[in-house]
Each structure stands twice: as structure tokens, then as C-alpha cells.
């Protein structure tokens, strides 16, 4: 599996909604990789002045074009959000099976936004 699936899963906790959106493939190819795609999406959707702990902040999980490829270390994914400590973009890279499993679901990125009134879990 190389490339992109072309789908983004958007979970809005305030509205209790889940939407499937098309991935902008031109942007994905221009800002190649999970880090580039995640940061570009974050910058395009989140006001830089937003408080990191507010519902306007977003939590983006992105995979790259070689995530889930049949080769070592291809299970990588990135998490992008605004850090409460520094007030800047926080980017975390992780590996293992989770990134590959996300990609195998057919999504390239998950965007979590809003704030739930009480603790919830989403099963989709």
C-alpha cells in the first residue's frame, strides 16, 4: 500500500458527529509525509492565537504515503496539536502497529475537534 487513500475522518466532539471528507491530494503531494500534511492542515484550520486547552484547538493524527508499506518502520504516524506548555505547534512522531492499522482502515488522517460535555468514546 503506497500513496494515499484519499479520506479524512473528522470527529467533532461538541456536535457529536463523525464525517468522512476527501483528502486534498494536491496538498498531500505538496506537503508530502505525515508531518507536512498534518502541520499544513493544522495551520489552515486553527487560529494561531487559540488557547491550547480550548475547544477550538484540534488534535490531528496523520499518516504518510508509505505508512503500512511492507517494509520495516513503515508504521509511523504524526500527532499535531497546539502545546499548552509552549503555546506553539506540538508534533509527535510514533511508530508500531497503530499508524499502519489507521491507514488500513482507509483513512489518511483523523481530525479531533471540539469538546465533549462528559467523557466519551467513539466507536466507528
Amino acid at each position: 500500500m503506497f500513496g494515499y487513500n484519499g479520506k479524512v475522518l473528522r470527529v467533532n466532539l461538541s456536535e457529536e458527529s463523525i464525517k468522512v471528507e476527501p483528502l486534498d491530494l494536491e496538498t498531500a503531494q505538496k506537503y508530502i509525509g505525515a508531518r507536512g500534511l498534518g502541520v499544513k492542515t493544522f495551520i489552515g484550520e486553527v487560529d494561531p492565537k487559540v488557547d491550547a486547552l480550548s475547544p477550538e484547538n484540534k488534535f490531528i493524527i496523520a499518516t504518510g504515503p508509505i505508512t503500512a508499506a511492507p517494509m520495516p518502520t513503515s508504521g509511523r504516524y504524526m500527532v499535531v496539536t497546539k502545546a499548552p506548555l509552549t503555546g506553539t505547534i506540538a508534533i509527535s512522531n510514533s511508530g508500531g502497529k497503530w499508524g499502519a492499522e489507521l491507514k488500513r482502515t482507509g483513512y489518511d488522517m483523523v481530525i479531533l475537534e471540539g469538546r465533549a460535555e462528559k467523557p466519551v468514546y467513539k466507536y466507528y
Side-chain angles (χ1 to χ4, degrees):
M1 173 187 292
F2 290 101
Y4 294 100
N5 292 316
K7 293 192 302 185
V8 175
L9 185 67
R10 185 177 296 270
V11 179
N12 189 309
L13 298 170
S14 298
E15 298 175 2
E16 298 181 2
S17 66
I18 298 174
K19 298 176 187 170
V20 177
E21 301 174 351
L23 175 68
D24 180 348
L25 292 174
E26 185 176 316
T27 299
Q29 291 171 349
K30 186 174 181 181
Y31 297 91
I32 195 163
R35 183 182 185 113
L37 179 59
V39 170
K40 174 63 175 163
T41 302
F42 185 84
I43 289 172
E45 293 193 13
V46 179
D47 184 327
K49 296 178 183 176
V50 74
D51 182 276
L53 299 176
S54 75
E56 289 76 32
N57 191 13
K58 298 188 182 191
F59 189 85
I60 298 173
I61 305 166
T63 62
I66 61 168
T67 302
M71 59 189 187
T73 73
S74 69
R76 311 300 299 176
Y77 65 96
M78 302 296 288
V79 176
V80 181
T81 191
K82 187 169 186 179
L85 182 61
T86 63
T88 60
I89 295 177
I91 306 165
S92 296
N93 181 317
S94 186
K97 293 183 179 184
W98 202 92
E101 293 302 323
L102 172 61
K103 188 74 156 207
R104 288 186 186 111
T105 65
Y107 299 103
D108 299 300
M109 189 164 38
V110 176
I111 301 172
L112 298 167
E113 57 191 6
R115 178 182 291 158
E117 289 186 29
K118 58 184 178 185
V120 296
Y121 72 94
K122 296 291 182 184
Y123 176 78
Y124 180 72

